[in-house]
Amino acid sequence: MATRPETAKKILIYWMDGMVLLMGIAFVATIAVAAQMGMIGWVGAAASITCLTVVLVMFSLILRDAFDNRPRPTVKLLVSGVAVVAVLLLPMPRDGSFMTWEVVAYLWLSVVLLHLPFWATALMGTALVTAITVMQTGHGGPWQAVLLIQLCGAVLMPLAMWSWRWLWWTIRDAHDSQAAKSRLAVAEERLRFARDLHDLLGHSLSVITLKSELAAKLATKDAAKAAAEMADVRRLTGESLTEVQLAVDGYRSLDLDEELARARAVLEAAGTRCVVEAGTGELPPAARALLAWVVREGATNVLKHSSASRCSITFADGVLEMRNDGVHGTNISAVNGTPNGAGSGLRGLAERMTAAGGAFSAGPVRDGEFVLRARVPA
């Protein structure tokens, strides 16, 4: 699941590459038709096609450089800008029956916005609009209409590119915040457990230390009192051990309803649609704790070892079933109800269920699904 933001990034970039490729094909076809009709020479057509190719290829490369952050202007940006000037100055079909070549300049301006501050981009855009308006007016037509068209191109294309990258930043930040939230939850739980252990053991160990020192001093003077102090030390040690065991058991105990809700939230946050149909209110505490571990390990298995788009969690007749559609090959299979080749989590889960008198199985089934089943003891 951690690769999903990178997958979204690739989709966005490849989508833009496809649009640029289609634009390039249309440009080349237009120039070829114009040359075939004698509107421009073949030498000028070849030069124009070369400059257009440089602009479009550099656009894709520059976009990749500036997708994650705002880099400093590079040689690629300069080379692309020179090629844009060449496109505008070289012979092109400009009688209104062909494409508007000025879109190439605004395509370049859109990646300039990813490198330079807004005010610098605005200055460059103003210069481009002014120069292109003068050139277009020289070919005929009212300058007011030409200026309006050029302003629209100079504003809309950079705005679209900025929105495009903002969408990726939003996806990336959402993923990073989810990961940070998970790390924070783990850190908070560790701090809570450390605080509980400190509260439990701090006082007991201090008393044990004092009584041990006192017993050592009394050993040569009053053996009976020394023995009594050591008996207290032994009692306190046993009580402390019991308290630690209770604390660890409380730390390791899970609530089934909370785990179901957490599994659904985590899976849906990772892009997996999760449906939960589990009426577990009548289960005894021991069975609920076992199934809570099943849900936790099952959800972890889906997150780590699959790219599932949907997952269902059901409970009926003492059997909890988790089914997802994210199997990759047959790397996990069930043999006699025990995961063969599975990770330590599923193996440990199978051992836990078997030791408690239940049953456990996990493995791929038909149609590329993976099914995990756990039956609690009657």
Side-chain angles (χ1 to χ4, degrees):
M1 297 305 164
T3 61
R4 291 196 175 189
E6 289 302 316
T7 302
K9 177 182 177 180
K10 290 179 180 178
I11 291 174
L12 291 173
I13 291 180
Y14 292 160
W15 186 359
M16 183 64 72
D17 287 345
M19 295 174 63
V20 171
L21 179 61
L22 292 177
M23 185 184 300
I25 293 173
F27 282 154
V28 172
T30 301
I31 296 174
V33 171
Q36 184 69 31
M37 296 174 62
M39 300 178 64
I40 58 176
W42 283 106
V43 175
S48 299
I49 290 175
T50 301
C51 292
L52 280 170
T53 302
V54 171
V55 172
L56 298 181
V57 170
M58 286 297 174
F59 172 83
S60 295
L61 296 177
I62 293 170
L63 182 62
R64 283 164 169 77
D65 293 340
F67 214 63
D68 281 307
N69 48 49
R70 184 187 291 274
R72 297 174 63 87
T74 61
V75 176
K76 297 176 186 176
L77 194 63
L78 178 61
V79 171
S80 181
V82 173
V84 167
V85 174
V87 168
L88 297 178
L89 295 179
L90 285 171
M92 289 285 185
R94 303 182 189 276
D95 64 349
S97 61
F98 291 87
M99 301 181 66
T100 302
W101 301 106
E102 289 72 21
V103 69
V104 178
Y106 301 135
L107 190 66
W108 176 76
L109 186 64
S110 66
V111 291
V112 169
L113 179 62
L114 304 183
H115 288 77
L116 300 180
F118 175 78
W119 64 268
T121 306
L123 288 178
M124 286 194 174
T126 302
L128 278 175
V129 169
T130 302
I132 293 172
T133 301
V134 171
M135 294 173 59
Q136 287 282 9
T137 305
H139 289 82
W143 67 270
Q144 295 89 344
V146 174
L147 178 61
L148 179 61
I149 293 173
Q150 300 309 319
L151 282 174
C152 290
V155 171
L156 293 180
M157 289 197 68
L159 180 62
M161 179 57 64
W162 180 86
S163 301
W164 197 264
R165 189 178 66 171
W166 174 83
L167 177 61
W168 156 240
W169 282 10
T170 301
I171 295 172
R172 182 192 62 187
D173 292 346
H175 178 266
D176 291 345
S177 64
Q178 184 67 31
K181 183 178 180 181
S182 300
R183 291 193 298 269
L184 180 61
V186 172
E188 289 179 346
E189 185 64 16
R190 287 174 177 171
L191 288 175
R192 184 195 69 81
F193 188 59
R195 184 175 60 250
D196 290 348
L197 283 180
H198 177 271
D199 294 342
L200 287 172
L201 296 179
H203 176 72
S204 298
L205 291 178
S206 297
V207 175
I208 289 173
T209 300
L210 292 174
K211 284 187 171 291
S212 299
E213 293 175 352
L214 179 59
K217 293 178 180 180
L218 292 174
T220 57
K221 299 179 180 180
D222 193 335
K225 289 185 177 180
E229 294 294 338
M230 291 305 301
D232 283 343
V233 168
R234 180 178 181 181
R235 177 182 57 80
L236 288 171
T237 304
E239 291 177 354
S240 298
L241 178 61
T242 301
E243 289 176 348
V244 171
Q245 290 174 341
L246 290 175
V248 172
D249 289 341
Y251 179 74
R252 297 178 60 185
S253 65
L254 303 178
D255 181 78
L256 179 57
D257 292 334
E258 290 182 1
E259 289 302 320
L260 287 170
R262 184 179 293 112
R264 179 175 182 177
V266 169
L267 290 175
E268 291 190 345
T272 303
R273 185 170 60 89
C274 184
V275 178
V276 178
E277 297 179 358
T280 59
E282 301 300 324
L283 285 173
R288 292 177 64 87
L290 282 174
L291 292 183
W293 278 106
V294 172
V295 172
R296 171 176 284 191
E297 292 295 339
T300 302
N301 188 62
V302 174
L303 290 172
K304 284 187 175 181
H305 305 298
S306 80
S307 56
S309 61
R310 57 181 175 82
C311 177
S312 63
I313 305 176
T314 59
F315 178 79
D317 299 327
V319 177
L320 186 139
E321 179 180 287
M322 296 184 66
R323 181 183 297 265
N324 72 82
D325 63 349
V327 171
H328 292 311
T330 57
N331 59 324
I332 301 176
S333 59
V335 178
N336 296 327
T338 303
N340 181 31
S344 59
L346 291 182
R347 286 199 301 269
L349 197 57
E351 294 171 359
R352 183 190 295 267
M353 293 296 298
T354 302
F360 179 84
S361 65
V365 295
R366 67 182 190 283
D367 300 330
E369 290 190 330
F370 186 89
V371 178
L372 181 152
R373 292 189 181 92
R375 179 183 295 277
V376 294

